[in-house]
Amino acid sequence: MGWLHTCFGITFSVILFAVFWTGTLTVFDKEIDQWMKPELRIPITDNVSLDEVVLPRLAELDLLPLSAVWIGMPRERVPVIRLHYKDANGKAHEEGLHPRTGEVLDLTDSDAGSEFFFRFHFMLHIPGILGYYIVGLSALAMMTLVVSGIFIHRKIFQEFFTFRPQKKTRRAVLDFHNLTSVVALPFHFIIPFSGLLILITSYFPWSMAVPFEGDIKQLDAKLAAYEKPVIKPANEPGDPVGTLDRYIDRANSIWRAQEGEGTSDPDWVAIFNVNDAKTYVVVERFFANHRVALGPDQVVFDPNNGEMIDQFKPLPIHAASNWLEGLHWIQFDHWPLRWLYFLAGLSGCIMIGSGLVFWIESRIKKAQPDATSVRVVRAISTASITGIILASVGFLIANRLIPKNINLDAIHRHELEIWTFFFIWALTFVHAVVREKSAWREQCFAIAIASVSAVALNWVTTGDHLLLTLGRSMWSIAIMDSVILVCAATALWSGLRLQRRLRESRNVAVSIEG
Amino acid sequence: MIILAAILSLLACTLLALSQRKHWKKVAGTELAVHASKAIRVCGWLLLVAAWVLCIIGEGVSFAALILPLLIATASFITALILGFQPKLLTPLAGVFKR
């Protein structure tokens, strides 16, 4: 088991740390979006009327006939209306509409949290399916590491609360590794498990396609038809949809009659077969606010006569998988639980990072500290832990420094931000190779300086400083700035502690030589 | 309700830690008798059950199944940090059981 734990740990730690780190950031993805796209910082609006706000906008657009239009309802964490449509040329567009005025918001071109960090979390920003498989294998490795760790850590109960920071580095790091592993053990197991469950059809699409003789398109069509009726277009021009508010009200009353007053409102409204005589409207709750389980509740209406055509609710047999998927997606409105997820995610990062550091410290003790293999592994570890944190903060700084309307022919603005992230990450590796032992400490100090700079740049470029955001109850921005400042303080503390340890070890070496 | 559950979880974890001899000695400076260890452990587990009940009443089974393990994880981590850096902070709590 020890061999298995070490082997899997060394092979997958770097990827696991990156996946856990971006997953932890994604817990607050919508808050990162608001921080990186200041146009989203608008107060939440109650009683939004899609008839007044969205339908006039749809009337202005030249929509692709028979396409679908998706309208995301405003929420506390996403206070604007999101409009997804295809124009007459088939080009997909995404717009943010002001929930009161209907004004099309000129959003900063940034992939921010809900796109960049989110996608990195499950595909490492690698195009195609390769990233999915790497993350999937890493998730399997994580589960193996958790189970093998239980067997290795024989004194799991006796040392449940044990942490001895005063001991030598190796012992203290191992204590920290054991502590963060054991206290959040169920979390560290169920998160990769539920992640695998969510993406199982991406990993093995052909297994589900077996009943359809391997035809994945047929499978997709059957799955789509399972959740909502697929109504074939009449291929005759039809009237535009006259109301959406009425369908939302009716869907709400249906759900309230079935589940009681406390049930949540719809989060998406979709219009299918646009501009056709057989157009239809779907009111959907995919990420219901007040429950863990994920899963579409849908009510389908025919706008020609206003009648309900169909209602879909997940079958009871879906309850377990929907709950497991819901606990991974974290789309529910539960702030205390969101914070607990964030802390547990950080504990996962510490667990992976401390495991890697312990392995390196052990090798340094056994081998020549200046051996090339040790130097390379140490550089990779530094870049994969402090490096990715610094790159993430650099991503935020780039967002504030790159002009909003920058116009480059070859590259989009959001790509510039992403390139900055990867450039800084690569730079931390080079720095770690050159600076060796000092790299940890110096990168910690760099994180501290960069984090304070990010908060200052947010203030300078938007005028929203921490006291102001707290005073005006702009919680998303206040949370972001606070967390970044805590990150700065932690990095500074860690850097100073590493500096003290380095000085002590040098003094010991000098006294031995003397 | 969730704040109360969090407080109970933290208290439960500190008691479960104090029921272990080495932590008790670090905090109280004395040896821990077997019967006292058992009593502290029982109190710790009872408080955890109380936190669990509060979570279910306040948040429902579905959310409670997520909240309680994460509350216990956070409480255990805080307890370990206190024991590692400032164990004397727990001396007043140990004093209750010394009597």
Side-chain angles (χ1 to χ4, degrees), chain A residues 161-381:
Chain A
F161 300 101
T162 302
F163 175 49
R164 291 159 287 189
Q166 298 81 11
K167 295 266 181 180
K168 285 184 178 173
T169 308
R170 267 183 76 228
R171 185 69 250 176
V173 168
L174 184 61
D175 276 352
F176 214 33
H177 178 68
N178 290 341
L179 175 67
T180 47
S181 312
V182 170
V183 296
L185 193 77
F187 180 83
H188 297 325
F189 188 84
I190 206 150
I191 284 297
F193 177 73
S194 53
L196 284 171
L197 188 77
I198 288 169
L199 289 176
I200 196 76
T201 51
S202 300
Y203 298 136
F204 306 111
W206 51 86
S207 60
M208 280 183 74
V210 166
F212 307 98
E213 295 174 348
D215 187 349
I216 291 172
K217 280 185 183 170
Q218 211 183 335
L219 163 74
D220 289 342
K222 287 282 180 194
L223 282 175
Y226 171 67
E227 289 181 359
K228 52 178 152 298
V230 177
I231 298 169
K232 287 188 178 167
N235 289 316
E236 291 170 14
D239 294 331
V241 174
T243 177
L244 292 172
D245 292 345
R246 199 193 311 157
Y247 303 129
I248 291 173
D249 290 343
R250 284 190 57 193
N252 274 334
S253 49
I254 290 168
W255 289 326
R256 281 182 187 137
Q258 291 170 348
E259 299 170 19
E261 279 301 311
T263 191
S264 59
D265 296 336
D267 50 359
W268 287 94
V269 177
I271 306 169
F272 287 89
N273 293 345
V274 164
N275 296 344
D276 188 81
K278 283 203 170 179
T279 188
Y280 59 103
V281 174
V282 177
V283 182
E284 184 178 69
R285 292 187 307 186
F286 200 64
F287 302 117
N289 296 342
H290 309 311
R291 67 179 189 211
V292 176
L294 184 79
D297 296 333
Q298 293 166 338
V299 189
V300 185
F301 297 97
D302 181 351
N304 294 311
N305 54 23
E307 293 299 312
M308 185 182 91
I309 307 171
D310 188 56
Q311 186 192 2
F312 176 83
K313 281 182 82 67
L315 296 170
I317 198 165
H318 292 156
S321 68
N322 285 348
W323 187 82
L324 280 167
E325 289 183 18
L327 77 85
H328 198 109
W329 279 94
I330 328 169
Q331 292 298 318
F332 35 77
D333 274 355
H334 200 301
W335 282 104
L337 188 53
R338 191 166 291 282
W339 277 104
L340 288 171
Y341 262 80
F342 183 71
L343 295 176
L346 286 180
S347 89
C349 293
I350 296 169
M351 172 186 73
I352 298 161
S354 55
L356 203 53
V357 171
F358 174 73
W359 185 84
I360 294 163
E361 289 290 329
S362 304
R363 290 302 156 295
I364 288 171
K365 202 180 174 195
K366 285 177 189 171
Q368 292 291 328
D370 294 327
T372 311
S373 60
V374 173
R375 286 176 63 179
V376 169
V377 175
R378 184 160 47 199
I380 292 172
S381 308

Side-chain angles (χ1 to χ4, degrees), chain A residues 90-101:
Chain A
K91 191 183 173 196
H93 294 268
E94 184 183 346
E95 288 179 352
L97 303 184
H98 194 288
R100 202 188 308 276
T101 62

Side-chain angles (χ1 to χ4, degrees), chain A residues 157-163 165-166 176 179-180 183 187 290-292 323 327 332 334 336-337 340-341 343-344, chain B residues 2 13 16-17 20 22-23 26 59 62-63 65-67 69-71 73-74 76-77 79-81 83-85:
Chain A
F157 293 110
Q158 292 98 313
E159 295 192 349
F160 195 86
F161 300 101
T162 302
F163 175 49
Q166 298 81 11
F176 214 33
L179 175 67
T180 47
V183 296
F187 180 83
H290 309 311
R291 67 179 189 211
V292 176
W323 187 82
L327 77 85
F332 35 77
H334 200 301
L337 188 53
L340 288 171
Y341 262 80
L343 295 176
Chain B
I2 196 170
C13 287
L16 289 173
Q20 294 181 329
K22 61 177 176 181
H23 296 313
K26 205 173 181 183
E59 307 290 336
S62 188
F63 275 114
L66 290 178
I67 293 170
L70 292 175
L71 273 184
T74 312
S76 305
F77 188 71
T79 304
L81 289 187
L83 287 168
F85 288 106

